[in-house]
Amino acid sequence: MEQKIFEQRRENLKRKLADKKLPALLVSHAANRYYLSGFELHDGQCNESSGWLVITADGDDYLFTDPRFTDAAKLHWNEDGIVIYSDKKHQTVGEFLKGKGVATLGFDPEVTSLYDHEGLRPFVELTSQRGIVEELRLHKDEEEIRRMDASIALNHKIMDEIRQYLVPGVTEKEIAWQIEKMFKDNGAEEMAFSSIVGVGPNAALPHAIPGETKLREGELVLIDTGCRLNDYNSDQTRTFWVGDNPSERFQQVLEWVQGAQQAAIDIMRPGVSLYAPWKASWDYFDKLGVAEYFTHGLGHGVGLETHEPPRMSRVAKGVMEPGMIITVEPGLYWPDWGGIRWEHEVLITEDGCRVL
């Protein structure tokens, strides 16, 4: 991705900081760091960091990292603005910022650890600021939409091709492995998340973990999977029948789920509340007398992360805006039989929406 895209995103953030009268913001969340710089999309694990950004409202910006990432940082950031820390990370960062006149630093309490907060507090005043970068990430730009289109198209391809492997005797774990292999063979960098594969009653677990249960003739199997392609994720769920003659119940429930999904998609456009599509799906199920079996939210944003704002649910706030990409994934679940979920990703356009 061209550096000017990252520069423009930082300029957009600077305007937000100025509006909030916030002199500077600590960016410690990996996806936000990448969004603003192109540097390191991942952290090793929850107690490790590849680095931080500090974006100022009206001055220079800085990238802090450790010696392992020095050369990688230089690929994405002006060398004069790179600060390398070692074992005294908080002291190095804090003293540097203090020396640059940064006295107040915003941080996101949802992603900044107490350990880091306590380490920086002796050097700068810290002020809680939730989701400033995420507000920018809500609206995908043309390059992001192009990448999302490609990632989702690959997901469609894999969902079509996996059908040939859904035969009696194959285990859930073997199907999950086959999906991962197919994604990798087709250019995906990694999985967006660990695939969900649930046979029969296991499909009633919305986040079923693939195990040794074997596919059986005359039974359903739910697959929820996605990949990361060119740094952007896809996320799709399909529910298949094993065999040539799907049962009447399977066909009926699938029709209900797809009908509820379409009821939601039909009203998705700018200005509509994020609650409304969930309510449309719930009402559709309620008229059929099965709403109690719809047990989760309707959808979530997808992009650099598989689950990101916005959300569509019974408690959702806000409205849809152009550039949002949101899953629409109603489902119905019976513990003694299984569950059916069907998932599309939908782009909110200037005057409506587009199923990707």
Side-chain angles (χ1 to χ4, degrees):
M1 199 177 294
E2 294 183 20
Q3 283 301 313
K4 64 181 182 180
I5 293 177
F6 299 114
E7 291 170 4
Q8 182 58 58
R9 291 172 181 173
R10 293 197 294 274
E11 287 302 316
N12 294 340
L13 176 58
K14 285 173 178 289
R15 283 193 288 273
K16 278 188 170 290
L17 298 181
D19 290 343
K20 293 176 179 290
K21 296 181 171 51
L22 183 65
L25 179 70
L26 172 69
V27 180
S28 57
H29 183 49
N32 290 344
R33 180 183 61 213
Y34 174 87
Y35 177 80
L36 295 168
S37 68
F39 173 70
E40 298 301 310
L41 180 56
H42 295 301
D43 287 332
Q45 54 191 42
C46 64
N47 63 343
E48 292 184 349
S49 173
S50 301
W52 292 342
L53 301 179
V54 170
I55 308 299
T56 67
D58 57 3
D60 294 330
D61 304 323
Y62 308 103
L63 191 162
F64 301 89
T65 189
D66 71 51
R68 295 173 300 168
F69 299 100
T70 301
D71 291 336
K74 291 177 182 178
L75 296 175
H76 301 280
W77 204 264
N78 186 313
E79 192 169 348
D80 292 339
I82 297 173
V83 180
I84 304 299
Y85 53 76
S86 53
D87 56 335
K88 296 183 178 180
K89 174 182 179 179
H90 300 115
Q91 181 178 341
T92 301
V93 173
E95 289 181 348
F96 179 88
L97 292 176
K98 191 173 182 179
K100 293 293 183 178
V102 177
T104 302
L105 186 65
F107 74 98
D108 190 331
E110 293 187 356
V111 297
T112 304
S113 71
L114 179 60
Y115 172 72
D116 289 329
H117 181 277
E118 294 299 298
L120 289 173
R121 194 168 60 171
F123 304 97
V124 291
E125 179 184 349
L126 295 168
T127 178
S128 176
Q129 297 287 334
R130 239 182 217 96
I132 299 179
V133 182
E134 282 80 359
E135 290 175 9
L136 297 174
R137 287 173 52 201
L138 278 172
H139 310 98
K140 272 56 179 181
D141 59 33
E142 291 183 6
E143 176 62 18
E144 290 179 294
I145 293 169
R146 185 187 70 77
R147 294 185 181 209
M148 289 290 295
D149 268 326
S151 184
I152 293 166
L154 178 54
N155 209 330
H156 282 303
K157 171 182 169 66
I158 299 308
M159 283 297 199
D160 287 339
E161 294 182 357
I162 197 60
R163 293 174 182 268
Q164 63 186 298
Y165 298 98
L166 303 180
V167 296
V170 178
T171 68
E172 295 167 337
K173 287 177 70 173
E174 288 170 337
I175 292 299
W177 167 243
Q178 183 61 44
I179 290 169
E180 182 168 353
K181 183 178 184 300
M182 292 165 70
F183 271 127
K184 295 288 184 65
D185 287 346
N186 282 271
E189 291 112 45
E190 59 184 341
M191 301 300 290
F193 54 94
S194 296
S195 294
I196 297 166
V197 182
V199 173
N202 291 346
L205 303 170
H207 282 184
I209 298 172
E212 299 297 340
T213 303
K214 294 181 179 180
L215 275 65
R216 296 176 287 264
E217 182 81 22
E219 200 165 30
L220 61 83
V221 55
L222 182 151
I223 297 175
D224 187 344
T225 192
C227 72
R228 186 185 298 280
L229 182 67
N230 295 323
D231 296 324
Y232 282 79
N233 292 306
S234 61
D235 180 7
Q236 293 177 4
T237 308
R238 300 290 182 267
T239 310
F240 303 93
W241 186 259
V242 182
D244 297 326
N245 300 300
S247 71
E248 289 186 13
R249 183 177 185 181
F250 175 85
Q251 294 180 80
Q252 182 66 85
V253 175
L254 179 59
E255 180 181 320
W256 289 344
V257 169
Q258 291 177 329
Q261 182 188 58
Q262 193 60 51
I265 293 173
D266 285 345
I267 65 169
M268 293 177 68
R269 61 184 180 274
V272 171
S273 76
L274 290 161
Y275 163 80
W278 175 87
K279 185 64 163 55
S281 288
W282 193 92
D283 285 347
Y284 187 95
F285 286 142
D286 191 43
K287 289 177 183 178
L288 297 168
V290 295
E292 66 183 290
Y293 303 105
F294 177 33
T295 58
H296 53 70
L298 181 65
H300 55 84
V302 184
L304 290 173
E305 297 175 282
T306 309
H307 289 89
E308 59 183 44
R311 298 289 195 274
M312 295 194 301
S313 71
R314 69 168 69 233
V315 296
K317 306 295 184 184
V319 300
M320 285 174 247
E321 299 172 2
M324 291 179 172
I325 295 179
I326 317 171
T327 67
V328 183
E329 47 180 311
L332 293 171
Y333 310 93
W334 289 266
D336 61 341
W337 178 71
I340 292 181
R341 184 164 68 252
W342 204 264
E343 180 179 13
H344 288 319
E345 285 149 298
V346 177
L347 168 68
I348 306 303
T349 62
E350 292 294 334
D351 58 0
C353 70
R354 172 168 71 88
V355 177
L356 300 175

